[in-house]
Amino acid sequence: MSPAEELATCQAALAGALGEAPTVGGAAPDPAGAAAPAGDAWLEVPAARWREACRAARDLPELGFDFLRSLAGVDRPEAGRIDVVAHLFSYRHRRALVLRTSLERAAPELDSVAQVWPAADWHERELWDLLGVRLRGHPDLRRLLLPEDWPGHPLRKDWQEPAEYRGIPTRREARATAGELAKQTYLAPRGLGRDPAGGQPDGGGGA
Amino acid sequence: MGALASYLRAIGRTVLSVGDGLAVTFSYLLRAPVTLQYPDRMRVPVIELLPERSRGMLEVDLDLCTGCAACDRACPIDCIALEVVKHAERGRLIQRFDIDLGKCMFCGLCTEACPTGAIRHSHEFEGGTGDVRALVVPFVDAPRQPAKAKQEPPPAPKPLGSILRARMPGPWDRPRPPARPEGGEHAG
Amino acid sequence: MSPELQQVGREEFVLNMGPHHPATHGVLRFVLHTDGEIMRRAVPEVGYLHRGLEKLAEAHTYAAYVPFTDRINYLESMFCNQVWSMAVERLLGLQVPRRAEYLRVIACELNRIANHCIALGSIAMDVGAYTPFVYLLREREAINDLLEALCGNRLTYHYVRIGGVAHDVDEGWQGKVRAYLDHLEPILDELHSLVGGNEILVRRLGGVAVICASDAVGWGLVGPNLRASGVDWDLRRDRPYSVYPELSFEVPVGRGEQGQVGDCYDRWTVRVAEMRQSVRLLRQALERLPAGDILAKVPRSIKPPAGEVYQPVEGARGELGLYLVSDGSPKPSRAKWRSSSFAALSIVEHLSRGLMIADLVALIASLDPIAPEVDR
């Protein structure tokens, strides 16, 4: 089957399960199947039907998407949306699908699919951690990568890195200029590096 | 009885398979060792064993640098600080060319961008120091005129690493203990 | 049972394993809830190595991000380079010269062998056999030398570029690789007598921490971990990319030689068998290496049209995926790395119930997770 036919099959099957057809987006595959499209096409479902759609994608025999490759969030501040993109794969049919939904950026909330694919557990924690999407019904929604008290969600486009975190500066001190350097570093009497007498002031290694 | 027999068989298999493994280990008594005792018992310095493409610490030959700042733009992490100023009488002057080797990730993008080959990776790698700021290497002492893109005759190429070593004293300037005279000659 | 004994087991002992522990493969921590030696659950705590590589992607141009991909996973940098390049090439619609594709295969398969050397060595080391680790490190050193001669660095290669590869190879280098492969094959047999067939290792790994196929798929395990569970799947064969369709190789699958399908020993044997297949692939690729360019004509400023791709490759640990969104500007709008270690670690809590602490160590080692790849 060509990518276009595969996408149409998935769309029809999901439409049967949800009662409404998911919309096709992205680089629409060439119907003739001659040239590979520049990017991936996706099926978009309303956020309210997300869990239902995911369950159908996994359970319907003609879909059978048993492998959740990745679950990613995309921040689109200009549209005021955060998109959630699931990359699915079916080992049975050897077919991939991109399932997508869009959330209100101001208060993004989505049903968790950790019960559908256990793999979603950590991906959803990351989604909360880095993009601030709240997952309803997630078994253990804690931050995954950042500390619990980290300010904000860094993968939001408007996130600003704070100057310090708990008194630890987040940036290295400004670069020394060449002039300062000559005064400060190995040439200064700090005992580092070369000693005019040819000894080994820092006692390091070589002996 | 069956349990005891399988227990004893397992012991037998263990002894035999451990013997198998030890035979391999012992065979290494007769093979040439592959380890080298770095740094003090090297027959040749490691730097001479490195392949030609090896990306060591950066150095800049200012006799070639045109001050075009292509390297500065190519560097993904801003480890190059290049300042070119306009002087009323002397024209364009390179005022500053510092490389922060503590930040550098040795990707080589700057050397690929450089049109004249002024910035290049030496093979030097032994830059250990007690102060991270000592890894900022200034290559310009006083403001100087940038080189022309095409020079006639082209300046003599400097040996790889010599510019850096003149700028940044490192462990290589410590007296080296003599190589162990006997034995110690391991294949690389 | 006496009342005192019945009380035993009601209490829970919480033990921290890591962040610095020889068996944690990088900086990661497990909080063990144990009842004596038996685990109630082991909760992985990750994030110690989070460097914000996905956020950094939004601040760099496509070409300038390639060195960062080296740092996603220091044991399979070549694959990270490759998946980034392939994703951008797909967005640009760029055709890579055949010689470059072959060189990518050669570099990646060498990287796969080096990675498996570390994986096998650390499995052996974590269950108590230190010597094989040193022997395998020696083999990996030789590959590091070869790759250093090829691309200039020993770990952070920056070799696969958008549109091709950075450096060409000469006959001398190919000869060195062939000589190394001739040297490696007997070493793999030696590895079996040294440790693979060792009864102690077999007992420590056989039948331990079995992952059934449906769990492996559901939790998103990939690569050797998935194949050890009996799922016959390899992207190189089943969703072919690059020049893999032109090369012949087999996909080893776990058969439960020393216990059950999907146990730790299967994860060991699958990796050993994969090293042999990589040797086979390398020999073919060296033989067929065509002449030609190594880099396609890439525009000076890379500005892919708006669109998004998900690009997977079969890395040393299995499917390494990159979801890349372009908005038409010179910098990516979003990059998400789907790493195999991420999935491998997320299954640990599920599997840890009822395991002994020592078996947990064997489980973690046999899953071969790498902390920087989890945290990114």
Side-chain angles (χ1 to χ4, degrees), chain A residues 51 110-125 128 134-143, chain C residues 41 43 219 346 349 353:
Chain A
R51 190 184 282 164
L110 190 65
D111 283 330
S112 162
V113 291
Q115 283 84 14
V116 182
W117 298 284
D121 185 338
W122 277 29
H123 284 293
E124 288 183 343
R125 277 177 68 186
W128 159 243
R134 256 203 196 284
L135 280 308
R136 283 185 299 253
H138 188 280
D140 179 24
L141 195 64
R142 288 177 294 134
R143 280 183 184 265
Chain C
R41 60 201 183 101
V43 185
W219 285 91
S346 68
E349 183 175 351
R353 272 179 209 98

Side-chain angles (χ1 to χ4, degrees), chain A residues 40 69 73 100 126 157, chain C residues 90 310 333-334 338 376:
Chain A
D40 294 337
R69 284 173 147 167
R100 188 177 183 118
E126 187 183 307
K157 296 277 180 196
Chain C
R90 251 181 74 197
Y310 175 83
S333 156
R334 172 85 165 98
R338 183 260 184 249
R376 305 183 300 282

Side-chain angles (χ1 to χ4, degrees), chain C residues 157-171:
Chain C
Y157 308 119
H158 194 207
Y159 179 62
V160 180
R161 305 286 175 89
I162 296 162
V165 293
H167 305 282
D168 207 345
V169 301
D170 55 15
E171 273 301 321

Side-chain angles (χ1 to χ4, degrees), chain B residues 52-101:
Chain B
E52 192 195 322
R53 281 176 195 161
S54 184
R55 294 199 295 269
M57 297 195 279
L58 288 167
E59 62 179 4
V60 184
D61 186 349
L62 280 163
D63 294 341
L64 295 174
C65 178
T66 59
C68 68
C71 53
D72 198 2
R73 284 192 301 271
C75 181
I77 48 173
D78 295 336
C79 78
I80 298 170
L82 175 59
E83 278 170 26
V84 181
V85 290
K86 273 246 161 66
H87 191 269
E89 290 140 41
R90 294 170 63 199
R92 282 173 78 236
L93 292 178
I94 304 178
Q95 180 170 295
R96 175 178 172 197
F97 200 137
D98 296 355
I99 295 182
D100 189 344
L101 290 171

